[in-house]
Amino acid sequence: MTEFMTETEQRPTGAPQVTEVLETPQRRRPAREGGPGPADGHEATVILDRARSSVDPELRAAVESLPASMRRIALHHFGWEHADGTPAAGSAGKAIRPALVLAAAAALGGPGARSAAVRAAAAVELVHNFTLLHDDVMDRDTSRRHRPTAWTVFGDADAILAGNALQALAFRLLAEDPHPASGAAAARLADCVVELCAGQHADTALEKRGPAEVTLDEVLAMAEAKTGALLGCACALGALYAGADEADVAALDAFGRQAGLAFQLIDDVIGIWGDPSRTGKPAGADLAARKKSLPVVAALASGTPAAAELAELYALPYDEKDLERTTLAVERAGGRDWAQAQAADRMGRAMQELARAVPDPESAGGLLALAEFVTRRST
């Protein structure tokens, strides 16, 4: 399967840092008059902060409506309370998905559509956090956003139930929304949740198979279902709330899916090479868990001596003393370079889809800035 590796991707050393990954079309846009250029990340930060400010009141109101037993778990998960119930000022996440809803609505319908889509954006964020609560249980992750995961504090059952409650809140928000697009949005989000569950099922099934039994196509399909589906859905919901036609809704869904795959590719790179002080997770956490992430599967498929070494290491139980050797094997087999090159390719596809629905670069600016953010982050 060496056709997945180009000559450049197979170089054994000198892989670029995560933050040097992409040269996407939006990076080549000139800076807007009177504002920063897109490459500095400021535009995305402003958009994300504004999305968080818009969506948090809806999220907090929804969480506060939960029974006390579920509410305390959700408040801890979002970083609004410590485990003992005292107030906290932790991060509730970057708000990428709700920001995509709002940016898509604004791109196709202007500021009025953005304001009308806040409840839909909150629903998407609730679904995202439902998946995080469940993923942490299944993956046995002990920290998220620089604090203990819910299951480590409250137990598996409570974390799972809190995740279920957040999903129910998401659909209640849409059911109570008088906007004419809310019904179609709820149906689309429900389909997305089913796809997310199928993707997570595929992920857990892949983990039970040997390293040589997993293909890149399978892992890419799983990543699209687990990550791309919700980003695509977020963009599609924004388009629905803007009153877009079916073709534009489909194009924005495809844009989000391709950007989501790029996001997952970079996330997998960070899962191996990210800085624990910035990610909030131990170094090499994915390797320790023997996850068949995209860089790992690409490395295993390279047919190189380093791939054989990696397969031997992955066949053994995790030993901390082998972490550095395993990390180097993935890199020497081309896994890191492949993931970064593939992320750039997926972003190119995303830009093509976006141009179909929003051909005006100025109108598409928010979505372009967010797409750049998710593929140039280092945490």
Side-chain angles (χ1 to χ4, degrees):
M1 301 175 66
T2 55
E3 66 272 17
F4 290 105
M5 304 288 174
T6 68
E7 182 178 354
T8 301
E9 293 160 6
Q10 289 179 3
R11 69 177 185 270
T13 59
Q17 295 299 309
V18 174
T19 51
E20 298 172 350
V21 173
L22 298 178
E23 180 67 24
T24 54
Q26 67 272 24
R27 289 200 65 214
R28 295 189 289 272
R29 289 185 297 147
R32 295 181 185 177
E33 185 177 355
D40 64 8
H42 176 74
E43 185 178 1
T45 300
V46 171
I47 293 168
L48 291 167
D49 288 347
R50 187 182 177 204
R52 178 57 70 198
S53 297
S54 298
V55 168
D56 270 5
E58 288 282 358
L59 288 177
R60 284 179 175 269
V63 169
E64 290 291 345
S65 74
L66 291 171
S69 58
M70 295 292 96
R71 185 168 63 244
R72 69 190 188 108
I73 303 166
L75 289 170
H76 165 79
H77 170 75
F78 279 107
W80 297 330
E81 282 188 3
H82 296 295
D84 62 5
T86 56
S91 169
K94 296 182 177 69
I96 291 168
R97 291 155 189 82
L100 285 170
V101 176
L102 300 178
L108 287 168
R114 183 195 184 280
S115 298
V118 168
R119 191 170 291 185
V124 168
E125 185 72 341
L126 286 166
V127 164
H128 173 53
N129 281 277
F130 136 68
T131 67
L132 296 183
L133 282 161
H134 285 198
D135 282 357
D136 287 342
V137 173
M138 287 183 272
D139 295 342
R140 310 316 285 173
D141 285 333
T142 58
S143 65
R144 181 176 291 281
R145 299 167 181 160
H146 305 278
R147 58 184 173 270
T149 48
W151 73 268
T152 66
V153 177
F154 303 101
D156 289 2
D158 282 3
I160 292 168
L161 291 169
N164 293 342
L166 293 187
Q167 182 188 172
L169 290 179
F171 287 101
R172 190 178 75 186
L173 280 180
L174 292 175
E176 294 176 350
D177 190 352
H179 194 283
S182 61
R188 197 171 194 105
L189 188 58
D191 287 342
C192 178
V193 169
V194 172
E195 188 174 358
L196 290 170
C197 293
Q200 180 64 21
H201 180 269
D203 191 16
T204 55
L206 288 174
E207 294 307 313
K208 298 174 184 176
R209 290 160 55 183
E213 300 171 356
V214 177
T215 69
L216 267 177
D217 285 345
E218 288 178 303
V219 181
L220 283 166
M222 177 270 293
E224 180 176 350
K226 279 192 62 176
T227 305
L230 189 54
L231 269 69
C233 183
C235 295
L237 261 58
L240 286 171
Y241 271 70
D245 62 27
E246 185 176 339
D248 286 346
V249 172
L252 280 187
D253 183 275
F255 160 76
R257 283 176 179 269
Q258 292 298 330
L261 271 174
F263 177 99
Q264 187 60 57
L265 284 152
I266 298 306
D267 199 60
D268 284 357
V269 170
I270 291 168
I272 299 174
W273 292 280
D275 180 353
S277 68
R278 302 183 69 182
T279 65
K281 293 187 177 184
D286 286 358
L287 298 181
R290 293 297 188 251
K291 289 185 71 67
K292 298 177 184 70
S293 63
L294 286 158
V296 167
V297 176
L300 289 168
S302 68
T304 62
E309 180 184 9
L310 178 61
E312 291 178 5
L313 289 166
Y314 251 54
L316 300 171
Y318 172 70
D319 188 329
E320 187 175 357
K321 67 180 177 61
D322 289 329
L323 177 59
E324 183 177 0
R325 182 183 167 201
T326 307
T327 303
L328 287 171
V330 177
E331 188 161 345
R332 288 170 178 161
R336 185 176 188 173
D337 284 352
W338 176 88
Q340 293 176 320
Q342 185 71 198
D345 176 69
R346 295 293 176 170
M347 280 309 304
R349 300 185 196 186
M351 294 305 103
Q352 292 175 356
E353 296 290 349
L354 179 58
R356 293 176 187 171
V358 192
D360 175 28
E362 189 69 20
S363 297
L367 289 168
L368 290 169
L370 291 170
E372 171 165 297
F373 174 83
V374 302
T375 52
R376 288 187 60 79
R377 62 202 178 94
S378 59
T379 62

